[in-house]
Amino acid sequence: REATGLRTFSGIGKEAVGPWGHGAVELSLFASQFAYCTTYFIFVADNLSMVLEVAFGWHVGQLTLMLLQLIAYIPLSWVRRIKVLSQAMLFANVCIATGIVTVIGFASHRIAAEGFHRDVEAINPKGLFLFTGSVVICFEGIGLVLPIRDMMKKPQKFKSLLTLCMLGLTLVYCALGAFGYLAYGGGIERFVIQSVARDHPGPGSVAQLAYSCAVVLTYPLMLLPAMNVINRYLVRLGLWKRSKTDAEKMMENLIRTFIVLCSFGIAVLCGRSFDNFVGVVGAFCACPLALIYPIVFHYRLIGTPSITKTVVHGILLLGGLVGLFLCAAVSLATWS
């Protein structure tokens, strides 16, 4: 970004390696953000289903809960500016913090009372690559990095802020995974917050509701990069103008609604194989965006760094390529 002055990931890709770099980034960004939005339907439906069953004894199907989410997601998808979402994002962060504190708190209490679960394994080779694909998907916000930087009042502080955020997120993800697995072992639910809710229905259900609310509010933020890709292509083809009339804005809303409906359809089809779906998304979308493209573009634009950085970049690049193929192969082979 600093070397080129460009404001988009795809623009940097084009500057670095030409049109194919631009196209590769645009395709990966659209596919990844679209897939992340798809997982939101599944996460919220699973957790709300459990809350309704525990709190009220209601057995509501996953499909019904996914359909109800459309009532929120369709109008939220019409939001075009990140600034409009600032207050909602603040509330969503509070909800996420509530869920994190609840999970770590009750999981650590269980460990203190009962010790590590009896079937904890240091390494489970059977699920290693599926796990890797799921981990890489933690880079789901990478498409928002440059847009957020451009919205900052003091963009010169962005690099230090990004570093601190990445360190903090890494610690939180590691803590959630470690405490959850050590407390519940191999019987842990696919969403650890559900395991906590089974042990502690009251606070667990509150945490599930809070986390689900946060996911719903962040849906338009995750959809934004995908819609930006579509808008850029329509402008490039001459079918769209950067400053739109009311009729064109209405047409864009219809396109956004169609994208939401498509993500709903895929969520319905892939809901029962959520882990495999996440693994495939991590392999084909997150691995290139997080581990492959940045290193290739850096070398093309900046040149060869120090020996230490070259070794680190080489390891990351090799890991990204290996992870892409192996995670995709295992996820597809074990898809049920």
Side-chain angles (χ1 to χ4, degrees):
R1 169 69 171 82
E2 294 175 358
T4 63
L6 296 170
R7 301 178 63 181
T8 64
F9 198 173
S10 56
I12 293 173
K14 184 176 182 179
E15 182 73 16
V17 293
W20 82 265
H22 178 275
V25 172
E26 294 276 66
L27 179 61
S28 296
L29 274 176
F30 176 82
S32 61
Q33 298 302 136
F34 177 80
Y36 301 148
C37 291
T38 299
T39 64
Y40 282 16
F41 278 98
I42 301 170
F43 177 88
V44 173
D46 269 17
N47 281 279
L48 289 184
S49 176
M50 184 174 176
V51 169
L52 292 173
E53 184 177 347
V54 170
F56 304 103
W58 298 346
H59 299 280
V60 183
Q62 190 181 59
L63 178 60
T64 301
L65 293 171
M66 287 185 183
L67 284 168
L68 290 174
Q69 289 176 66
L70 289 173
I71 299 173
Y73 291 156
I74 288 176
L76 282 173
S77 71
W78 299 342
V79 176
R80 291 168 172 78
R81 300 181 62 192
I82 294 178
K83 281 186 177 180
V84 177
L85 302 172
S86 58
Q87 298 299 320
M89 292 303 100
L90 180 61
F91 180 68
N93 288 338
V94 172
C95 292
I96 290 172
T98 301
I100 290 171
V101 170
T102 301
V103 170
I104 293 179
F106 283 108
S108 58
H109 179 268
R110 181 186 176 101
I111 293 171
E114 304 177 14
F116 295 161
H117 198 275
R118 61 182 179 276
D119 63 357
V120 167
E121 299 179 63
I123 298 176
N124 178 9
K126 293 182 179 179
L128 181 61
F129 292 107
L130 193 62
F131 164 77
T132 303
S134 300
V135 168
V136 177
I137 207 173
C138 293
F139 286 99
E140 61 178 327
I142 195 168
L144 297 166
V145 171
L146 292 180
I148 289 174
R149 182 193 185 280
D150 289 333
M151 297 298 293
M152 290 179 65
K153 291 183 178 180
K154 298 179 180 179
Q156 65 273 16
K157 294 185 177 181
F158 176 74
K159 188 178 292 184
S160 58
L161 182 63
L162 179 64
T163 301
L164 288 173
C165 287
M166 291 300 292
L167 288 173
L169 285 171
T170 300
L171 290 174
V172 169
Y173 278 127
C174 289
L176 281 172
F179 279 104
Y181 181 60
L182 292 174
Y184 299 100
I188 191 171
E189 301 286 345
R190 63 181 179 181
F191 303 120
V192 63
I193 200 168
Q194 294 179 338
S195 294
V196 173
R198 293 197 185 282
D199 276 358
H200 307 277
S205 295
V206 171
Q208 283 180 292
L209 284 173
Y211 227 114
S212 297
C213 183
V215 167
V216 171
L217 291 174
T218 54
Y219 185 91
L221 191 64
M222 286 295 104
L223 188 66
L224 188 62
M227 289 309 308
N228 286 342
V229 170
I230 292 177
N231 285 337
R232 285 193 291 268
Y233 270 100
L234 291 175
V235 169
R236 196 174 300 118
L237 292 171
L239 302 175
W240 217 251
K241 297 178 182 177
R242 294 191 182 277
S243 56
K244 304 179 183 67
T245 63
D246 290 341
E248 288 172 331
K249 288 180 180 179
M250 186 172 294
M251 180 60 67
E252 183 181 355
N253 286 343
L254 290 175
I255 294 174
R256 289 169 178 259
T257 300
F258 176 72
I259 296 297
V260 174
L261 292 174
C262 288
S263 67
F264 161 76
I266 293 178
V268 172
L269 293 174
C270 300
R272 294 183 179 180
S273 302
F274 179 80
D275 294 340
N276 299 79
F277 178 71
V278 168
V280 170
V281 172
F284 286 116
C285 301
C287 273
L289 286 171
L291 300 175
I292 298 175
Y293 298 157
I295 296 173
V296 174
F297 298 164
H298 180 88
Y299 271 86
R300 295 284 295 179
L301 294 171
I302 307 298
T304 305
S306 64
I307 295 177
T308 303
K309 286 186 177 180
T310 300
V311 172
V312 173
H313 288 175
I315 293 172
L316 289 173
L317 182 59
L318 180 62
L321 291 170
V322 172
L324 190 159
F325 291 108
L326 289 181
C327 292
V330 173
S331 299
L332 292 171
T334 59
W335 195 298
S336 59

